[in-house]
Amino acid sequence: MTALLDIRDLVVDYGAGNAHPAAVDGVSLTIARGETLALVGESGSGKTSVGRAILRLVEPAAGTMRFDGTDISTLAGDALRRFRRRAQVVFQDPKASLDPRMRVGDIVREGIAIHRLASHAKGDLRVTHLLEEVGLSAADVGRFPHEFSGGERQRIAIARALAVEPEFLVLDEAVSALDVLVRRQVLELLARLQAARGLTYLFIAHDLAAVERIATRVAVMHAGRIVETAETATLFSAPASPEAQALLAAIPKIPW
Amino acid sequence: MNPLLSVQDLHVDAPGEGRSILRGVHLTLDAGETVGVLGTSGSGKTTLALALLNLLPPALRARGRVEFEGHDLRTLNHAALCAVRGRRCAMVFQEPLTALNPRQRVGAQVAEVATAHGEHDAARAMRSAIDLLGRTGLTDPGERAQRFPHQLSGGERQRVLLAMALLLDPALLIADEPTSALDVTVQAQVLQLLREQQRARGMALLLVSHDLGVLATTCRRLLVLHGGRIVEDAPTPQLLAAPVHPHARALVDTVRPAERRA
């Protein structure tokens, strides 16, 4: 099976000079269609930079990135826009990622309009369906982001990402700011959407415990490099790298 | 024996918003006891922690009784309250960057706790501050004491806050999400430090968190705060094994491993 995403020797350097190591320092990874790869590491390990480089929100300094066989590291103009329809992102903080002055309907519709995916009337219907699919209601189109709870706002961000019918989602700490109960509901929603739409996820998190139930495989990052990649069950039962062992040891051991 | 802390029918209202945050909280804590307050966001747990030491913002109104070592903290005059805070009962907040003064070196901030409570020898206050910074696991505490908060990592800053809280050997430490802003491995280290200090000093600990794992590994008794009320109060093993209130059950279920699910 060919990978949906294949990254080789990716380098992201924010130009702090030679004194500072690169944020991403030679990362290679593949993600198969339909799987969830969790990218886990402490703050500063470079995991968010990997996600941003894939989406071309930061320019990689070196390396190759292939998406469905196409080199995406040098895409520009229309070709880049077409790629971004296929690859979307949900960020950690929906308070920051949703425009507070736009109504929910317009937020979700914007991508449909930019990519000319539907006429206005059909777009309306699509927005309604999306909101219902993520557990909100058609009546929410006229409301503003601040009228929703944190979990509901994250559902809006997910609906916005799905509006352009992507194949691939970068979920960058997408549930980290949520309460445990809300987190569980949003994770269940993401799993349902993945099954229904055949989505592929890159799930970025700082906490191993958060990825146990959603990830197919886990890659552990440290200081700009991937130090271990393993099936989720294997990583939890027999972590090989000191970094994975430390992350696992840090999960509080509840005395059941 | 009287409990160290006894809270009777504590209410906190936000009159400006027309809502109640705490709706009749009762709790007691014995000397040396470790109690965790578990709550999701909006449950009122931070308000509870602040209300205990009369630290609520002016827009909030509290009523009820908060008795600590025989004094009703809610009616104590300012000078008497200041003598209790920091000396007999100390607090650690979630976000050390906002809890520390950005323009003062951290050693001086720790030493200030001693001088504010009557230590006249500034050099001696600084010595005990540096000594305690070392015991909270800061490497090279003499050098770290000279730094400003922004020159320390998040874990180091939280150790500084803990040193400030422990300097006068309080009988009760209230810690509100003390590790939530930290990386998971640093969180584990700071929790370990908190447990060691609690045990070594025999002080009581009231630990407030949304994280059942953090509480269950640190506290012997757990309270579940929901909608401004304590809906469950049980020894940790009992709460884990057989939570009674539906909300408590839902919270326990989020961390229960697959092989223990019914």
Side-chain angles (χ1 to χ4, degrees):
Chain A
M1 189 173 67
T2 56
L4 179 63
L5 186 72
D6 186 355
I7 295 175
R8 297 281 141 215
D9 306 316
L10 177 71
V11 176
V12 177
D13 193 336
Y14 293 110
N18 290 335
H20 293 267
V24 177
D25 195 8
V27 159
S28 301
L29 60 84
T30 60
I31 309 181
R33 199 178 275 280
E35 84 164 335
T36 298
L37 178 71
L39 191 57
V40 179
E42 304 216 304
S43 44
S45 60
K47 55 195 191 298
T48 287
S49 293
V50 170
R52 287 176 183 242
I54 293 168
L55 297 162
R56 296 287 307 283
L57 297 171
V58 297
E59 289 306 310
T64 59
M65 301 191 291
R66 303 186 79 80
F67 182 83
D68 201 12
T70 306
D71 181 3
I72 54 168
S73 51
T74 55
L75 291 180
D78 275 351
L80 179 58
R81 194 178 1 233
R82 281 196 299 275
F83 163 65
R84 283 190 174 146
R85 193 189 68 69
R86 302 175 68 186
Q88 286 282 310
V89 60
V90 178
F91 294 106
Q92 172 169 1
D93 181 4
K95 256 190 172 158
S97 66
L98 300 177
D99 187 333
R101 309 215 303 179
M102 283 175 74
R103 293 176 195 278
V104 167
D106 297 328
I107 289 173
V108 176
R109 191 204 316 272
E110 202 176 24
I112 299 173
I114 288 171
H115 293 282
R116 299 195 185 86
L117 298 176
S119 67
H120 198 80
K122 284 208 173 119
D124 276 349
L125 197 63
R126 200 144 143 181
V127 169
T128 306
H129 283 160
L130 280 162
L131 289 175
E132 284 167 354
E133 194 175 355
V134 299
L136 298 170
S137 85
D140 291 327
V141 291
R143 297 168 68 198
F144 290 96
H146 75 264
E147 298 176 60
F148 295 85
S149 70
E152 289 168 337
R153 278 198 287 261
Q154 208 55 305
R155 290 172 191 266
I156 296 168
I158 292 168
R160 173 178 63 179
L162 294 179
V164 296
E165 309 216 319
E167 295 145 65
F168 175 65
L169 284 187
V170 174
L171 303 163
D172 188 355
E173 302 272 15
V175 299
S176 307
L178 304 175
D179 242 308
V180 283
L181 296 176
V182 180
R183 177 183 302 185
R184 179 137 111 166
Q185 291 161 4
V186 173
L187 283 176
E188 282 165 4
L189 170 67
L190 288 169
R192 241 184 358 257
L193 292 169
Q194 182 170 42
R197 293 167 167 258
L199 291 164
T200 305
Y201 291 155
L202 177 66
F203 189 94
I204 298 173
H206 66 283
D207 184 355
L208 262 185
V211 309
E212 188 173 8
R213 290 193 204 170
I214 191 163
T216 324
R217 289 183 302 135
V218 181
V220 176
M221 268 194 94
H222 177 71
R225 297 168 192 265
I226 289 180
V227 293
E228 182 169 359
T229 306
E231 300 283 326
T232 307
T234 309
L235 191 103
F236 274 79
S237 60
S241 62
E243 290 82 6
Q245 287 163 4
L247 286 171
L248 208 58
I251 300 173
K253 301 288 173 291
I254 295 179
W256 292 102
Chain B
M1 191 181 75
N2 284 333
L4 179 70
L5 175 75
S6 161
V7 176
Q8 300 301 326
D9 202 24
L10 180 65
H11 291 256
V12 174
D13 300 318
E17 302 166 42
R19 67 192 180 102
S20 300
I21 302 170
L22 297 183
R23 306 154 185 261
V25 167
H26 297 263
L27 72 91
T28 60
L29 198 98
D30 287 332
E33 198 182 10
T34 52
V35 173
V37 178
L38 179 66
T40 48
S41 54
S43 61
K45 58 192 189 297
T46 291
T47 300
L48 173 61
L50 293 174
L52 295 180
L53 282 180
N54 250 355
L55 290 169
L56 288 174
L60 300 184
R61 296 275 171 274
R63 66 200 145 84
R65 206 171 160 77
V66 177
E67 208 165 286
F68 175 74
E69 293 188 323
H71 305 286
D72 185 352
L73 296 188
R74 298 222 39 263
T75 57
L76 226 49
N77 68 41
H78 187 70
L81 189 60
C82 287
V84 172
R85 287 182 191 151
R87 179 180 289 285
R88 299 302 305 155
C89 177
M91 185 150 179
V92 176
F93 299 93
Q94 174 172 1
E95 193 23 85
L97 255 193
T98 41
L100 290 168
N101 180 346
R103 310 212 314 172
Q104 197 182 13
R105 296 177 199 277
V106 295
Q109 297 190 51
V110 180
E112 191 183 18
V113 177
T115 49
H117 285 276
E119 171 61 67
H120 297 297
D121 186 339
R124 191 157 62 195
M126 184 57 85
R127 273 199 306 277
S128 56
I130 290 171
D131 173 57
L132 190 53
L133 285 172
R135 276 189 283 144
T136 59
L138 274 193
T139 47
D140 198 356
E143 185 272 333
R144 291 292 193 284
Q146 292 301 314
R147 296 203 194 179
F148 292 97
H150 75 272
Q151 296 171 314
L152 300 176
S153 70
E156 288 174 326
R157 285 195 285 260
Q158 206 52 286
R159 290 172 198 272
V160 170
L161 274 198
L162 196 57
M164 289 173 74
L166 296 177
L167 190 71
L168 299 177
D169 226 348
L172 170 62
L173 179 68
I174 299 171
D176 181 14
E177 300 275 15
T179 60
S180 304
L182 304 175
D183 254 323
V184 286
T185 50
V186 182
Q187 163 173 312
Q189 293 161 9
V190 172
L191 277 178
Q192 186 55 33
L193 170 66
L194 193 60
R195 287 184 208 113
E196 284 164 13
Q197 292 290 327
Q198 184 276 326
R199 248 178 259 133
R201 293 162 189 269
M203 81 186 162
L205 174 68
L206 189 72
L207 182 58
V208 175
S209 178
H210 70 284
D211 189 330
L212 180 53
V214 164
L215 296 177
T217 51
T218 311
C219 302
R220 302 189 58 168
R221 203 174 110 217
L222 298 181
L223 313 175
V224 180
L225 191 62
H226 180 56
R229 287 192 186 90
I230 290 182
V231 296
E232 191 132 352
D233 178 346
T236 302
Q238 189 184 323
L239 185 102
L240 291 173
V244 177
H245 190 277
H247 184 71
R249 224 159 30 213
L251 289 172
V252 172
D253 273 346
T254 62
V255 294
R256 199 192 296 276
E259 65 273 18
R260 287 185 174 272
R261 267 169 238 153

